[in-house]
Every structure is written in C-alpha cells, then in structure tokens.
Amino acid sequence: MKVTRWLAGLAVATLLVFPATLEGQRAFGVKGGVTFADAAFYDAFTSSPRARTAAGGFATFPISNRVDVQLEVLYMHRGFATGGEYEDGSTTRMSYLDFPIMLRLRLTPDARRVRPFLSGGGYWAHEVGCRTSGGVSQHEQSDSCEGRFMRRGVADVGLIVGLGLEATVSTGWFVLLDARYNFGVRNLHWDPGSEGAKSRNLSFFGGVGVRPGS
C-alpha cells in the first residue's frame, strides 16, 4: 500500500538525516493514557465511543530549531458499540500495534522550561486482537470477531493531529502531556451487509522522557 511505504520511507530517512548540531535535543521516553475509541459507519449503523487504554514509547529527533520528527510505537485500542437502525447492543474491541510518524512544531524556544507544541502526521497499525461482547455475540460460540467480521482487515492507516507540552523537571528529564485525534482512512472491516467502518480515536497521554547529553 502506497501510504504504508511512504510512512516507512519517512521513518528511515529521518534516522539518516538528523543534523549533528542538534544531537543534544534528541529525546526518548514512555507514555500512557486513555483513548476514546469510536468508528464512522457508512450505512444504517451508528456507534458511540468507549474509553480504552493506550501505552508505548517514543523517540523525538530535531530537524530544525523549531521542528521535530517523532516516531512512536503504541499499543492502542480501537472499537465501537453499535447502534442505529440495526442496534444489537454489542461492543467490539480491537487491539492494535500503532506506528505513528509525526512532525512537531515547537511554539517556544528550546531554552524554555515549558515547551508547547503542535503535531500532525500519520500512522500504520496492525491488529493484534479483536473480540465482541453483548448483543448477538452472546449467542455465538466465540467472542473473537471471526464469526461476525469474516472479511475483516488486519491493518489500519490514518491521520493524526494533536497538541501537547513538555515541562523540564531536572537536567535532561521532562514530563509530557499530549492530546491527539486519530482518523482512519481505510475500513476496519467489510461485512457483506455493510460498507465498513473507519476508526476514530481521541487520546490523552502522559509520559516521561530524557534528552541524552543535555
């Protein structure tokens, strides 16, 4: 898929072209938080968000005095509760390994103790688990999604926009607060009677990081 190849190429290029003069601003850390997972359907179904968890690690590399590239690996939950004309009361939980690649624009100089930023980019995600509960799934032999979503895709690709801030707590160390919105651009599943669903996630993260050499 072209989007996947583009994201992979950007990640490799980023690792090869960091300016040596900005090496001290590289950062690494871990983060975790809550995500409100939902889906956009294109037929008679509607859905409502469900609170889920998310966690992972990140690496940030400067490409100028105000712009960074951030690479992440996250364990993210997606899913939805069905409603609308064909409401059956079921909830679908999908677990993914996400690989976001984002550009971050720092809104203040590096010397500031608190550094707000804006971020945007894309992600590629691979499904590592799926289950349903409630509704018609109560009468099925398995809660693994295989019965309901036989034509389900196992990958998701989407766009990210967000904002956040980093606050220095000691030499080289900082805390991170991050809010973002993910919107999938490909269907999560293809049922014979449905046109599919695209994922939506509103996420809030907290984390801690270190800048080696600072």
Side-chain angles (χ1 to χ4, degrees):
M1 186 175 183
K2 290 184 178 180
V3 175
T4 303
R5 291 197 296 268
W6 183 85
L7 290 173
L10 177 60
V12 172
T14 299
L15 294 171
L16 295 175
V17 300
F18 302 128
T21 57
L22 299 174
E23 184 171 350
Q25 295 301 314
R26 297 181 184 184
F28 305 89
V30 293
K31 62 197 302 186
V34 61
T35 183
F36 296 91
D38 196 5
F41 287 87
Y42 298 95
D43 52 21
F45 283 92
T46 59
S47 67
S48 56
R50 289 292 182 267
R52 301 283 184 258
T53 56
F58 63 89
T60 303
F61 304 94
I63 57 177
S64 76
N65 288 329
R66 287 293 184 93
V67 180
D68 303 323
V69 171
Q70 183 158 301
L71 310 179
E72 298 181 345
V73 179
L74 300 174
Y75 181 78
M76 288 277 290
H77 283 118
R78 292 183 169 79
F80 46 86
T82 57
E85 181 180 345
Y86 302 112
E87 180 174 0
D88 64 16
S90 67
T91 298
T92 301
R93 298 175 177 87
M94 297 175 174
S95 304
Y96 284 80
L97 280 180
D98 275 33
F99 301 91
I101 302 175
M102 294 179 294
L103 287 177
R104 299 197 328 170
L105 173 63
R106 296 192 300 276
L107 302 179
T108 59
D110 288 346
R112 299 287 180 88
R113 187 176 183 88
V114 177
R115 307 175 183 178
F117 60 85
L118 301 176
S119 59
Y123 70 88
W124 178 85
H126 181 77
E127 182 191 298
V128 294
C130 181
R131 59 177 298 182
T132 60
S133 61
V136 297
S137 65
Q138 298 179 88
H139 310 293
E140 297 172 351
Q141 295 181 352
S142 172
D143 62 358
S144 66
C145 296
E146 301 303 329
R148 299 196 68 192
F149 304 137
M150 290 181 293
R151 301 173 64 190
R152 187 177 80 259
V154 295
D156 187 28
V157 176
L159 304 174
I160 304 172
V161 294
L163 54 85
L165 61 85
E166 295 177 351
T168 301
V169 294
S170 65
T171 303
W173 290 88
F174 62 92
V175 294
L176 169 74
L177 297 176
D178 180 11
R180 66 179 61 172
Y181 182 76
N182 292 23
F183 185 81
V185 297
R186 65 173 298 176
N187 288 338
L188 288 179
H189 66 82
W190 298 264
D191 276 346
S194 169
E195 295 181 11
K198 298 184 184 299
S199 66
R200 300 181 293 196
N201 282 75
L202 176 62
S203 306
F204 300 92
F205 291 97
V208 61
V210 61
R211 296 185 183 92
S214 293

